[in-house]
Amino acid sequence: MSSIGIPNVTSSTMFYGNKTFGAYNSDDLVAYFRMKPISEVIAFLLLSIAVLGNSFTIGTILLDKQSRKFCSAYLFNICLADALFAIVNIAGETIFATWDMRMRLKHQCVEYSLIYLRFFTYTVSMLSLVALSVERFAAVSSPVAWMKKKPKMRKIKEFTLAIVWIFGILFPLPYAMCPKFSDALTIPLNIALFVLLHIIPLCTIIVVTFKICQVLYSRVTEPAADQRRAQRDRLVALLVVMVITFFIFFAPFHVLYVYMGFARNLPINSKYLIGSRIALVATYVYPALTPIFYFAFCKNFRSGFSKVFWKCPSTQ
């Protein structure tokens, strides 16, 4: 669901998919209409930062060898998915800002296509984060065994990433078919999306990250870490920050989405619409912050970014 999932109030009857909001009192929506332009500016600003930041990150990883040493293939995948996620939502926000309800109802297939692309890019980013957390746990818990198996890991990563992209393409496919959802289909689909794309991955990440922190805490008394261990620990710290940020900014939206799927009569007042809008715009914060996290946690990445984008080729 992109910004199209939050209703655009233009008539006395409003729709969310096949759901009707019903009549409303325009006096109840004054606060919403005052907030709407501000939310649009914030949304476009966050999405623009996300596109530019992740594009710079992808360019740095591709063009600088030192950055590639730090960056896991999964981190690169997250950057790519987050950049695509932001681009899709720029299209959704443009529709939200410029189309009235009649136009949106007339072109519902366009909106469903954007819903599909949003779920697709979100799924790739989320599952890549799961794969990264599992990989870091294997590296931290058994570093010697990890180094021995490292030559074989490339094939495992390639296979895992292929599964991630295939699952991302196929799972939300019903939305790409411009469906006319009934409640009999909407509720099971919403539950499946919520459980498979949020609950299970998030629980997996939390458990694995907790295990990683346990292992690192047990090694506090060991001699000072060498450069390789320090780099590994920074990557774990980056993972922890990304997980916490992801949960904070995506959880309200997922709760809202499930609620909208179950509710038969959605409320139509400023409190509900403003809350819905905040939950949606909050999801744009995560992809805007991830490039900043890479820059903050990786000295090699900062150096690579400087070499690629600030220095002229003749001076390198």
Side-chain angles (χ1 to χ4, degrees):
M1 187 171 77
S2 67
S3 55
I4 55 182
I6 307 302
N8 188 3
V9 185
T10 56
S11 64
S12 60
T13 302
M14 298 181 6
F15 302 92
Y16 168 69
N18 63 314
K19 296 182 181 295
T20 302
F21 284 78
Y24 63 86
N25 183 349
S26 60
D27 293 338
D28 294 336
L29 303 178
V30 173
Y32 168 74
F33 281 118
R34 288 176 178 173
M35 182 276 301
K36 185 173 178 284
I38 300 173
S39 73
E40 291 169 359
V41 172
I42 295 173
F44 278 111
L45 178 62
L46 289 171
L47 292 171
S48 298
I49 293 172
V51 172
L52 290 174
N54 283 287
S55 297
F56 280 128
T57 303
I58 291 169
T60 301
I61 294 169
L62 291 176
L63 299 175
D64 182 67
K65 292 182 179 180
Q66 291 299 320
S67 298
R68 286 200 295 272
K69 289 181 181 179
F70 171 81
C71 180
S72 165
Y74 301 123
L75 279 176
F76 178 82
N77 219 47
I78 292 170
C79 286
L80 180 59
D82 286 348
L84 294 174
F85 177 87
I87 292 171
V88 168
N89 281 287
I90 286 175
E93 286 293 333
T94 302
I95 288 176
F96 177 73
T98 59
W99 288 12
D100 60 20
M101 183 57 66
R102 290 182 180 179
M103 181 68 72
R104 295 169 68 187
L105 291 174
K106 183 179 179 181
H107 300 284
Q108 274 192 323
C109 286
V110 174
E111 297 199 351
Y112 276 121
S113 297
L114 291 175
I115 292 174
Y116 166 76
L117 291 173
R118 179 184 173 97
F119 271 122
F120 162 55
T121 52
Y122 164 83
T123 302
V124 172
S125 181
M126 179 61 161
L127 295 183
S128 297
L129 194 56
V130 173
L132 175 63
S133 64
V134 173
E135 179 198 54
R136 287 300 91 199
F137 175 69
V140 169
S141 59
S142 303
V144 177
W146 172 260
M147 292 304 298
K148 290 181 180 179
K149 296 178 180 178
K150 199 170 182 179
K152 300 179 182 179
M153 291 306 298
R154 182 174 179 177
K155 291 184 178 179
I156 295 176
K157 287 183 180 180
E158 290 175 352
F159 176 77
T160 302
L161 290 175
I163 295 298
V164 165
W165 282 91
I166 291 171
F167 189 83
I169 291 171
L170 294 180
F171 191 74
L173 202 57
Y175 284 111
M177 299 177 180
C178 194
K180 300 294 183 182
F181 285 139
S182 63
D183 284 342
L185 179 60
T186 300
I187 293 177
L189 180 60
N190 285 348
I191 293 174
L193 289 171
F194 184 69
V195 172
L196 293 178
L197 300 185
H198 189 69
I199 296 299
I200 293 178
L202 189 60
C203 289
T204 302
I205 291 173
I206 290 174
V207 170
V208 172
T209 305
F210 177 75
K211 292 290 185 182
I212 291 173
C213 293
Q214 276 188 320
V215 172
L216 293 178
Y217 180 77
S218 67
R219 295 175 181 172
V220 169
T221 58
E222 293 183 3
D226 57 17
Q227 185 176 0
R228 181 176 295 173
R229 181 185 297 174
Q231 179 175 306
R232 182 192 64 204
D233 292 350
R234 285 197 300 271
L235 184 55
V236 171
L238 170 61
L239 172 63
V240 172
V241 171
M242 290 176 65
V243 170
I244 293 173
T245 306
F246 187 93
F247 175 77
I248 290 174
F249 291 107
F250 269 96
F253 175 81
H254 283 284
V255 173
L256 172 69
Y257 189 81
V258 172
Y259 169 72
M260 293 179 80
F262 276 96
R264 294 185 178 276
N265 295 310
L266 296 172
I268 185 64
N269 54 56
S270 284
K271 289 182 179 179
Y272 170 75
L273 293 177
I274 291 174
S276 301
R277 186 67 180 150
I278 291 173
L280 176 68
V281 174
T283 64
Y284 304 156
V285 177
Y286 172 76
L289 288 179
T290 47
I292 299 174
F293 294 153
Y294 299 150
F295 195 86
F297 282 91
C298 179
K299 182 178 179 180
N300 288 341
F301 178 80
R302 292 194 297 271
S303 176
F305 179 85
S306 177
K307 286 191 294 184
V308 171
F309 292 105
W310 293 118
K311 292 184 179 181
C312 298
S314 58
T315 63
Q316 294 182 11

